[in-house]
Amino acid sequence: MTVSRASMAEDGFEFSRLIAGFWRLKDWGMNDQEVLAFIEQCLELGITTMDHAMVYRSEEPFGRALALKPELRDRMEIVTKCGIRPVGFGKLGAKAVNHYDSSPKHIVASVEQSLRDLKTQYIDLLLIHRPDYLMEMEEIAEVFDRLESSGKVRNFGVSNFTTHQFAALQQACDHKLITNQVEFSPYNMGALDSGVFEQAQAYGTGPMLWSCLAAGQLMTGADEKAKRIMAAVNIVKEEVGASCAEQVIYAWVLGLPCNPFPLLGSSKIERIRQAASSEQYALTREQWYRIWEASNGAAVP
Amino acid sequence: MTVSRASMAEDGFEFSRLIAGFWRLKDWGMNDQEVLAFIEQCLELGITTMDHAMVYRSEEPFGRALALKPELRDRMEIVTKCGIRPVGFGKLGAKAVNHYDSSPKHIVASVEQSLRDLKTQYIDLLLIHRPDYLMEMEEIAEVFDRLESSGKVRNFGVSNFTTHQFAALQQACDHKLITNQVEFSPYNMGALDSGVFEQAQAYGTGPMLWSCLAAGQLMTGADEKAKRIMAAVNIVKEEVGASCAEQVIYAWVLGLPCNPFPLLGSSKIERIRQAASSEQYALTREQWYRIWEASNGAAVP
Amino acid sequence: MTVSRASMAEDGFEFSRLIAGFWRLKDWGMNDQEVLAFIEQCLELGITTMDHAMVYRSEEPFGRALALKPELRDRMEIVTKCGIRPVGFGKLGAKAVNHYDSSPKHIVASVEQSLRDLKTQYIDLLLIHRPDYLMEMEEIAEVFDRLESSGKVRNFGVSNFTTHQFAALQQACDHKLITNQVEFSPYNMGALDSGVFEQAQAYGTGPMLWSCLAAGQLMTGADEKAKRIMAAVNIVKEEVGASCAEQVIYAWVLGLPCNPFPLLGSSKIERIRQAASSEQYALTREQWYRIWEASNGAAVP
C-alpha cells in the first residue's frame, strides 16, 4: 500500500498526499549515498513530493544525492521556497538584517541557485516562503509568468500567508496559487480559526501543513497541554489499532476537509514508513474531537 | 400592536422580528396545556417564529403542546438546529466525546427526529448549530437540496459561524443561507467588530441574535460592567418612557442596521409582552451610544 | 524638488504624496497671516493636499487664511471628515454622549458647515471619520450621490474602517471609496497585519496614513520600544545620508507597496520642508526591516 496522490488545485498536477520534508536534512548526518537511499525508500512508499527551501540549506545535499541517480528526478515533485534572506547565506542572504525579499530579482536569483543546487532543470512548485510587507503584487505575478514560460517552475504558491495576503496576491496573479503552506498540529490549532482553511476550500486549493508534530513537542509530551493531547492520541491509537502515536496524529490532520497535504520531517525511514500508513486510519468524529478537546482544554461549546 | 414581520433575505419568506426562544423550555416546569397557552399568547403578540434546537430538548414538549391544537402550525414558523452531538442524547448524541457533526447522515437523522418531536411535516428554517471543523461543504449543500425538495425544510442557515466559515459554506451552496444566528447583547458586543454584521449586510441576510440579555447577567447587574450598562439603560428608559429595562435592551439591539432578529428567552408571558413592545422605542444615536459607551467603559475615540 | 503627485484610485484625481495635516492647527497659535504663509510654503513644496476634519476645529481658521488669498483654492485639494459628534461642538456635536453619526442629515449638515468654514465651494475628498455601528450603507451611498451631483464633494472615502466595514460600504456605493485613512507608524504597525493594506491593493485604493510619528512618541523616545526604533532609524539615517530622523520615518512609511499617502502634522515649516524631501530616500529592504525589527523586538521569523 502506497501513499495516495491528489491535486492541490483543479489543474490536475498531482502531489503525494504525504510529503517528505527536508527542513533538517543538514542535521541528519547522512552522506550522499544515505540521502539517496532515503529518497528511494520514500519513493517506494509513494512519498514522491520533496519539500525544500533555500534557507533550509537542504537543496545542495539533496542535489548531490540525486546526481547519483538522475533518473529519479522524473519520479518525484520538488517543492522549494524563496524570499527569506537571513544573515549568513551569501549573496542570497542579508548583509546585516534578516529580512524578506519577494522582488523579481531575488526570486529569480533564488530559483537559479535552487536549480543549480538541486541539479534539476525545473521546480515543480515554488512558494513565497513568508509574506513580505514590501511585496509588489504585480511584479510577483510577472516574474511567475517568466519562470513558468521558461520552464523553470511549473506551479506557484505561498507559505504562512494570512487570508488577506493570499487574496491580494491571487487577485494580482494570472497563475493560480495552488497552496498556502501553514503550520498546523494538534498543539497549534490556530489555523482552524484564522480562516486559511475555509479560504483554501473557497479558492479550491490544498494547504500544505508544516510541523504537524509541533516540532517534537507532542512526541516528548513537553508540557501539560502536550501531555493531554498525547493521552487522547493514545486512546485513539488503541481504538483504531494504529501501531504508533504519529499515525494517529497524521490521521487527525488528514481528517481536515480542506484537502490537506501534511509534511513529514523525520530522517528515520521506519518512522516515515509508519507515517505513510496513516491514511488507512480514518478517525471518527468522536476520535477527532477527542484530540481537539484535549488540545483546547475543554469540550466543544 | 403586534410585532412586525420581515424577510431575513430577499426571498420573501417572513419571520417575526422578535422570536420566541425555547432554549430553556425544559426548565420552565410547564405542562402541555401551559406550553400551549404560552404559544398562543406569543402568536397573539405577533411573535410567530419559534426557535428550537435538538440539544435544547425543547422540541418534544413543544410538539406535545402543538398536538393539542394542530391548526396553530400554519400560523407559526419553526426554527430548529442540528449538528451538536453531546453525550446523553441517545442516537443523536455522542458515545463518549461531545462533538459537532454536520455529515448528511446526521443532519437527516436530526431533522427526522425534529419533525417527529415537533409533530410537524416541515421545518421553516434549519440551522447548522455550530461550525464543525470537519464539515464537507459540498455534502452539506447536497443534503440541503434533498431536504428542500422533499418538503421537509424550507430555509437554511447557520449559527455561530465566523465570516470565513459563512463565506465558504455559502459559496458551496445553491441555497441562500438566510441567517447566521450569533450571540449579541450590550454585555457581549464582540459581533460589532468581528465582521459578521457587515457580512450580513453585504450578503443581504438578517442575523438572528441570541442571549440579548446576556443570559440574565444584565438584569441581575452581575458585575461592574453589567452595573454600568444597566445604569445607562435606565437613563434611556426614563428618556424614552419605556416601562422596563428589557424594552430598552431590545430596542438597542433592534437599532442595528443589519436587519437583526433578536431572540427572547423568557417563560413569563408578561415579560414577553413587554419585550414585544420594544419596536416602538427607536433610540436616538446618543441613547444607543450611551449604552455602547457604558459597556465599552470609555467614550468612542 | 517638489513632492510628487499620484491618484489614490484609478480615476485620475491627483493628490500630493505627502499631505499637510491640520489636526492641531488650533494649538499652533498662528494668526491668519501666519496660517496663510504656512499654506503658501506648503504649496511651494508641492504639498497641495490639506487634511481637516470637523472635530479638529481647523476648518474655520484655515478658511479665514484662505479668504486672504482665495486664488490659492485652485492650487490645493481639501480633505475633510464628518461623522464624529462629541459634546461641545454646537449643533454638529452631541448633547450628552460622544457618538458617531453617519446619517444623511448629519453628513449634509457637516459638509455645509465645512464649506462655510473653509470658505470654499467644494471639498475634494470627504471621509467618514469613524465607522458608525449604526450606519445605513444605502443611505450613505445615496447622500454621496447627492453631494457629488451638487458639486459640493468630488471624492469619497473613509477613515479607521476595518476591512469588513470597508467592503460592506463599498458594495453599497456606486462611488468608489478612494481611501481608508488609518493609523500607521513604526511604533504602531497593526495595519501591517489587519488586512487593510492588502485590501487597499486588492481594491486599487491608496490609504492615507495618520500619526506616522506616533504623535511624537517616536521623536521623544518615550519608552524602550521608541528608543529601539529611533536607534534603528538613526543607523538608517547615517546610511542614506538623510538630514533628520523624520525623513527616514517618512521614507519608511513611503516604502509600503500599497500606494500610501502619509500625513504630516507639524506646524514648523522647516520640519515640513525636511519631510518633503523624504521621497528621495528609497530604503533598501534591509533598512526597512531594520526598523520593523526594532519595533517588533525580534527579527523576522
Side-chain angles (χ1 to χ4, degrees), chain C residues 107-300:
Chain C
I107 290 175
V108 168
S110 189
V111 166
E112 296 291 353
Q113 178 174 298
S114 291
L115 292 173
R116 276 195 306 274
D117 285 354
L118 290 160
K119 297 195 175 24
T120 183
Q121 304 300 310
Y122 63 95
I123 290 159
D124 294 281
L125 174 55
L126 177 72
L127 309 182
I128 305 288
H129 204 154
R130 290 272 177 184
D132 172 19
Y133 293 119
L134 303 181
M135 63 184 158
E136 297 281 353
M137 310 286 180
E138 307 294 339
E139 290 183 5
I140 294 176
E142 190 272 333
V143 78
F144 281 1
D145 278 349
R146 271 195 285 143
L147 288 169
E148 201 268 349
S149 51
S150 69
K152 289 174 181 172
V153 179
R154 299 189 172 179
N155 295 280
F156 300 90
V158 298
S159 188
N160 305 302
F161 271 42
T162 66
T163 55
H164 289 291
Q165 292 159 343
F166 188 93
L169 183 56
Q170 181 58 85
Q171 180 177 315
C173 280
D174 288 333
H175 281 92
K176 183 159 183 97
L177 303 174
I178 68 169
T179 197
N180 185 5
Q181 184 179 119
V182 296
E183 182 176 11
F184 185 64
S185 71
Y187 195 85
N188 291 308
M189 305 197 300
L192 284 181
D193 296 306
S194 72
V196 292
F197 291 158
E198 286 83 8
Q199 182 179 53
Q201 291 179 276
Y203 278 69
T205 65
M208 298 171 73
L209 304 176
W210 60 268
S211 211
C212 298
L213 305 178
Q217 281 185 287
L218 280 175
M219 307 314 290
T220 56
D223 56 24
E224 285 311 306
K225 181 176 165 186
K227 287 187 184 114
R228 283 201 314 267
I229 295 168
M230 290 310 290
V233 165
N234 282 316
I235 289 172
V236 175
K237 176 166 82 81
E238 294 305 312
E239 289 178 355
V240 301
S243 55
C244 66
E246 290 176 49
Q247 286 178 338
V248 173
I249 295 172
Y250 286 114
W252 184 84
V253 165
L254 288 167
L256 290 174
C258 59
N259 189 22
F261 291 79
L263 272 68
L264 313 177
S266 181
S267 64
K268 307 280 187 292
I269 197 63
E270 190 41 46
R271 289 179 66 193
I272 297 286
R273 193 183 313 279
Q274 290 188 314
S277 308
S278 307
E279 287 187 278
Q280 71 184 282
Y281 303 107
L283 305 191
T284 66
R285 272 184 160 79
E286 287 205 40
Q287 289 163 342
W288 196 91
Y289 276 101
R290 183 186 287 282
I291 293 169
W292 182 91
E293 175 182 302
S295 176
N296 185 56
V300 295

